[in-house]
Amino acid sequence: MKMINRKKVEALLAAGAIAITAVLAGCGGAAPSASSAAGGGNGKKVVVVAHTNAYYPYDFVNDKGQSDGFEVAVMKEVAQKLPQYEFKYVPTSDDDLLIGVESGKYTLGTKGIWITEARQKKYVFPKNNIAASVIGLAIRKDTADQIKDMDSFAAYSGKLVPIAPQNAQYAVIDDYNKSHPDHQVQLTASENFQVVDAYTWVMEGRYDGYLNIELSYKKNVTDADGPYHQFADRLSYVRYKAIPTYPIFNKKEQKLADEYDQAIEQLRQEGKIKELEEKYFGEELSQYLEKGSHT
């Protein structure tokens, strides 16, 4: 069997809404200081937007060294709707973004964030989501005839690769089990946030499913240079649902979050969000969200 490059695996798994730790040097420089963020040279208040640097196509730095990605593009459209501010974009690591927004180093941050109770205590979440993240199950192809969705997976065996309790994906399955007391998925806590061997465990039959963001599955398995591409003809992916993602604002920025909400509603009505989704994802991901989940 082809040897797995574990370092490469860890780097690509990080793209699936789990910790991205490498800071891309020289792409955006240091964040503006608290004093400079108070007002730009034109007298406008500076809004410092932090984003992760390698979560393609949501948030990344392109080959020209520029902040790019769907969520970044949406924030740039929001900026045009709020001319009273000057928006500046800072690519950084996952951890620095979270800590920086909480401390006030950054005004807001975007990185494909799901709402959790713990995060709501630390940040201001707007009413309107910025994007959607499709999540589902990586399964063996020899079980694909029997596993079509989460219900049939639970009926088949419910044997899911363990998930760290601090991972937002844990809450997804916990919510499912609470809503389906008669057919449960086996939700086991993992000690590690990143489960590097998850695909291998599914292939070996230790588990029958791995809850995974579709983007991460494509990067790891579908892509020709993915570390698990050798499993591409023996693994399959079943979509579960789309989960709304949000920017997070510093606790003192409720007013800005409200103005963001107004801008997003205008952009959605104008069809700009749909246009950007088709540009970056090749389809309108918002259509998979449950009704009302983006308001």
Side-chain angles (χ1 to χ4, degrees):
M1 180 178 293
K2 180 181 177 181
M3 186 67 68
I4 298 297
N5 185 326
R6 293 180 68 87
K7 290 184 178 180
K8 186 176 182 181
V9 173
E10 291 169 358
L12 287 174
L13 285 176
I18 48 187
I20 300 175
T21 56
V23 179
L24 189 58
C27 297
S33 65
S35 59
S36 68
N42 52 14
K44 296 181 179 181
K45 177 182 177 181
V46 175
V47 173
V48 185
V49 181
H51 66 87
T52 42
N53 53 45
Y55 188 30
Y56 181 88
Y58 289 85
D59 310 281
F60 61 95
V61 175
N62 62 30
D63 55 9
K64 296 180 180 179
Q66 302 169 333
S67 294
D68 203 345
F70 173 79
E71 292 185 337
V72 171
V74 172
M75 288 308 309
K76 288 181 178 179
E77 292 293 333
V78 168
Q80 292 187 39
K81 297 288 185 183
L82 303 177
Q84 65 271 36
Y85 299 105
E86 179 182 349
F87 281 64
K88 293 186 177 181
Y89 302 87
V90 180
T92 187
S93 67
D94 183 281
D95 289 341
D96 180 63
L97 183 151
L98 295 172
I99 296 170
V101 173
E102 184 178 5
S103 68
K105 176 182 178 181
Y106 306 122
T107 314
L108 66 96
T110 181
K111 67 176 198 70
I113 299 169
W114 302 354
I115 290 180
T116 66
E117 290 184 10
R119 289 170 180 169
Q120 286 180 309
K121 295 176 182 178
K122 296 180 179 181
Y123 313 103
V124 169
F125 277 86
K127 295 178 181 178
N128 288 285
N129 66 302
I130 190 170
S133 178
V134 177
I135 194 167
L137 295 168
I139 62 173
R140 295 183 301 280
K141 281 191 176 180
D142 60 14
T143 65
D145 289 341
Q146 299 175 71
I147 300 175
K148 302 293 185 181
D149 49 29
M150 194 63 73
D151 289 346
S152 55
F153 173 71
Y156 179 80
S157 71
K159 291 174 59 179
L160 187 69
V161 171
I163 306 172
Q166 66 270 30
N167 190 329
Q169 296 180 19
Y170 189 95
V172 171
I173 298 302
D174 187 45
D175 289 343
Y176 174 85
N177 283 342
K178 289 176 180 177
S179 301
H180 301 82
D182 296 332
H183 48 287
Q184 300 271 293
V185 170
Q186 296 179 30
L187 180 56
T188 305
S190 169
E191 295 181 359
N192 300 315
F193 193 88
Q194 298 184 40
V195 185
V196 178
D197 297 317
Y199 294 109
T200 301
W201 289 349
V202 172
M203 287 301 308
E204 293 174 346
R206 293 174 60 177
Y207 300 94
D208 294 315
Y210 171 38
L211 188 67
N212 198 210
I213 292 175
E214 187 173 37
L215 174 63
S216 180
Y217 178 82
K218 289 179 177 179
K219 290 286 185 181
N220 281 282
V221 179
T222 306
D223 287 1
D225 60 348
Y228 289 98
H229 185 65
Q230 60 180 299
F231 297 153
D233 60 346
R234 289 179 287 163
L235 285 175
S236 184
Y237 188 86
V238 178
R239 280 182 169 179
Y240 173 39
K241 66 178 181 179
I243 297 174
T245 66
Y246 297 82
I248 52 174
F249 294 74
N250 177 267
K251 276 291 189 179
K252 297 180 181 179
E253 298 294 343
Q254 182 64 60
K255 179 177 180 292
L256 178 60
D258 293 339
E259 292 169 326
Y260 157 89
D261 275 324
Q262 295 174 2
I264 283 290
E265 289 170 5
Q266 293 174 15
L267 292 169
R268 190 168 282 128
Q269 292 172 1
E270 294 168 4
K272 192 64 182 181
I273 302 297
K274 178 181 178 181
E275 176 186 326
L276 290 173
E277 284 184 320
E278 292 175 343
K279 174 183 176 180
Y280 283 94
F281 302 119
E283 62 177 324
E284 184 185 358
L285 290 186
S286 296
Q287 65 181 314
Y288 299 112
L289 289 169
E290 295 177 2
K291 186 177 181 181
S293 61
H294 62 274
T295 59

